[in-house]
Amino acid sequence: MFAPLLALVLLAAGSARGETLLAKRYPPAVKDVIEQRCVVCHGCYDAPCQLKMDAWAGLARGAHKRKVYDGTRLLPAELTRLYEDAHTLDGWRERDFFSVVDPYEPRDGLLYRMLALKAEHPLPAKGPLAKDFDFSLDRDQRCSKADQFDDYRDDRPYQGMPYGFPGLDPGRQTILTDWIDAGAPGMPAAPVSAEQQRTIERWERFLNGSSNRERLMSRYIFEHLFIGSLYFDELPGERTWYSLVRSKTPPGEPLELIATRRPYDDPGTEHFYYRLQPRYLTPLAKRHMPYALNAARMARWRELFLAPDYSVETLPGYDGDDAANPFITFEQLPVDARYRFMLDEAQFTIMAYIKGPVCRGQVALNVIDDHFWVAFTAPNAIDPAQSARFLAEHAHEMRLPQPKGSLVVTLLQWRSYAKSQRRFLEAQAEAIARVIEQDALRLDLDLIWDGGPEGNDNAALTIFRHFDSATVTRGFLGQQPKTMWIIDYSLLERIHYLLVAGFDVYGAVGHQLESRLYMDFLRMEGEQGFLLFLPEAARAAVRDYWYRGARDHVTDYLMSPQNARFERPTAMEYRTDDPRTELMARLKAHIPAAENARYTVRRDEFAGLMDGPDASFSYLPEVAFLQVLGRRGEREYYSLVHNQAFSNNAQIFQEEDRRLPEEDTLTVARGFVGAYPNQFFQVAEQELGRFAEALKALAGDEDYTALVARYGVRRTAPWFWKLSDAINAHYRESFPAEAGLFDLNRYQNR
C-alpha cells in the first residue's frame, strides 16, 4: 500500500525536523483506523504518556514520560499544548518528547512493536481481565522508549496496543503496519476552498477593526471563545474547524501564533491580530465545543457591541491582576451586551467549565452536585446602567485567585475569600433592595430568562457530574434534582474567568486547589439565587438540607446574619408545603425549552427507574450506554447516568465519608449523555423489562457483576469494537456538528 520509494519521497519532502507539523493529516484509510482504535484513548491532556493521536502532528511529536495531570507538583509544569507550544520536531524534542515511529527502521519503532505485541499475545475472548491490568487514571505509566521496549515486553506481554481491549482485525492491522513501514507519513492538508477563504477574510476583517470599540469587543470575544471549535455552518462540504487565536501577523499573511499561558496574558507585542487557525484535530466528545459562525452571528455581535451609543476612551492593558478581572478590563463595554453574548450560547459558556481544563480530576469537580439544573436571570431585569455602575464600584470585591498563588491552600485563604464574597453579596443585596423599592421590582418568575421571543433553547440546562468528568445538556433532564442554580451576569463571568480563562492545567497543585476552594463561594451564590425565590421561612431549612454535616467554617459563613440576601421577601405565592419542589416545577413550566424532546424516553420499561432515589443504583457506574436490539434489526441507544448523593459538597477531600447511597438516583436519557462511558450494555427489546427490574434489584457488587455477565459487553468481548464503532457512528450521524469520539479510558473491567 505504501511502497518504500514513496516513503523516501515523502520523508525527503516533508519530514525535516525543522519543518512545521501544523498542516499535515493522516491518510484517509489510516485516519479511520487511528480514530476508531487509538484516539478513543489517546486524545486531549489525559492521553497516556502524552501521546496525542487525535492529529498526525501529535503522533509525529511522540510521547513523554511526564503526566499533564499531576496532583503532586509544587511548581507549574512546562507547557506542552499541541499546535501551540512548539511546531516542529526539533521544538518537541527539546521538550523531551520522544519518537514512537522510526522513519529509518520502522519495525523498531514503538508504535509498530506495540501493535505487534498485541497480535502476538491476544487477550482472552471472555471474562474480565486479570487484576495486573491497571485501568486506574493515576496508574503507573511506563512510557517506554524504543531502547526500553524489550523490558516492557517481558514484563507485560499482554499489554500491547490497544491496551486492555481486543487487537486490530487483520485488515486494519495491515493498513497500519504498511503505513508504518512507509515511515508513517502525513499528507498535506487539503487547501481551504475559495469560499472558505473568503469567509475567513470576512471574519478576520470584522475581528480586527481599528476603532477602540471594535478592538475591545474583539478582545472580549477572544477571551470567551479561545477554547471553542469554530466552524462556518452556512458553507457546504466537509466541515473545517478553527481556533480563534492571536497572531503577530495581519490577515492575508502566514499566521504567526502568539501562545500565552492564559488568554488575557500580555501578547508581548503592541500590534497583534485576531486570526482563525485551522484545527486538524479529530473531535473528541470530552473536549469538542462547536460554535457556529455565520452572517446572523456577525449581525448579532454588531447589534450588541457596536450599535449602542457608548465610547471607549482608552484600551485596557495587560499588566497586573486587573487583566484577569473582566469587570475592570471590560468596564467600558455595555453590561447588557456582555451578558447577552454569553447567554446566546449558554450551554457553550457553561460547557467550557466542564469540557475545558477542569474536565479531568475528582478534586476539581467535587465542588458540584452529581445532578442539578441551571437557569439564568433575565437580561435587563435590573437597569443596565445601574448594573454597570454596581459592577464597576465592586469590581475588586470580585477578585479571583491568580495562577501564581501559593503552594499551600489554607483555611485562612478560605476565610479571606469568604469575607470578600460576603462584602460583595451584602452590596448586591442592598442594590436589589433599592431597585425593589424604587422600581417596584418583584422577586418572581419574571426575573428568570425564558429564552426570549426567539425561544433560545439555552435558557434551561442540566449538569451531570460523573465523579471526575461532567456533562452539560440543554433542557431540565431527569427527575427533580436536590439543588438548582440561578445564575446572573456577574456569577457567569466569574466562573468563566476562574475555571476557563484563568485556570492552568499545567499549574501547581496550590493553584488548582485554590481555584476549587474559591468555586465553593460561586456555587453557594448560584444556590442562593435559587433560595431567594423561596418563602423566607423555608430558605434556611433547604440550605441546611443541602449542607448536612458541613464543617463549622462553612456553616458559619452560610448562616451569618450578614448574609443579607436572605432578608428579601419573594413575591411568589406557594400552594404546597414543599416550596423547593414547587419552585422547580414552576421554573420548568416557565421555560419552554426545559422540556427537551431529544432526550425523552418513551419506553414503559424505563418508567420506574426515575421514580425516586434507590440504593440499588449505587452499584452502577457513572455512565453506561445501552444498545437496544429491535426485533427487525433496528437499534436504539440510551444513557444510564448514575447520580451519586452526598451530604454536602463543601469539602475538598474525604468524599466517601459524605456518601449517601440511599439517596442516589438514575437518569435514563435517549441518546448519549457523557463523554466517558464506563460500560456498554446490549439488551434485546423483549428483555428490556427484565433488564430494568435487574437494575432496581441490585443489592451488592456481586449482583452488578452478574448484570454485566448477562447484559454487559466486557473489554474482552470479540464484538467490542463493532459496538463501539456503531455507537460513535450513531452519534455522528445524529448530531454531526456536535459529535466527537467517546473516550474509553474509564471503561470498566468487571
Side-chain angles (χ1 to χ4, degrees), residues 610-677:
M610 291 194 287
D611 286 343
D614 195 316
S616 63
F617 301 141
S618 65
Y619 300 102
L620 292 173
E622 284 81 20
V623 176
F625 291 163
L626 167 65
Q627 184 191 60
V628 177
L629 308 173
R631 292 177 173 86
R632 293 180 295 277
E634 67 274 19
R635 301 290 185 264
E636 296 176 5
Y637 296 91
Y638 297 90
S639 296
L640 309 177
V641 183
H642 169 207
N643 307 309
Q644 297 185 84
F646 299 87
S647 57
N648 70 79
N649 286 316
Q651 297 168 226
I652 298 179
F653 303 112
Q654 298 175 312
E655 192 169 50
E656 278 303 311
D657 294 342
R658 293 177 281 115
R659 280 284 286 119
L660 300 172
E662 67 277 6
E663 296 183 13
D664 286 8
T665 61
L666 184 70
T667 298
V668 182
R670 189 157 57 96
F672 304 112
V673 173
Y676 299 89

Side-chain angles (χ1 to χ4, degrees), residues 459-473:
L461 302 177
T462 299
I463 297 180
F464 295 99
R465 178 208 167 201
H466 321 297
F467 184 65
D468 63 357
S469 66
T471 303
V472 185
T473 66

Side-chain angles (χ1 to χ4, degrees), residues 209-229:
S210 59
S211 72
N212 282 356
R213 288 204 305 173
E214 291 170 304
R215 293 171 68 186
L216 191 57
M217 171 196 72
S218 296
R219 177 172 174 178
Y220 186 81
I221 291 171
F222 168 69
E223 292 188 12
H224 288 77
L225 298 190
F226 73 96
I227 199 170
S229 301

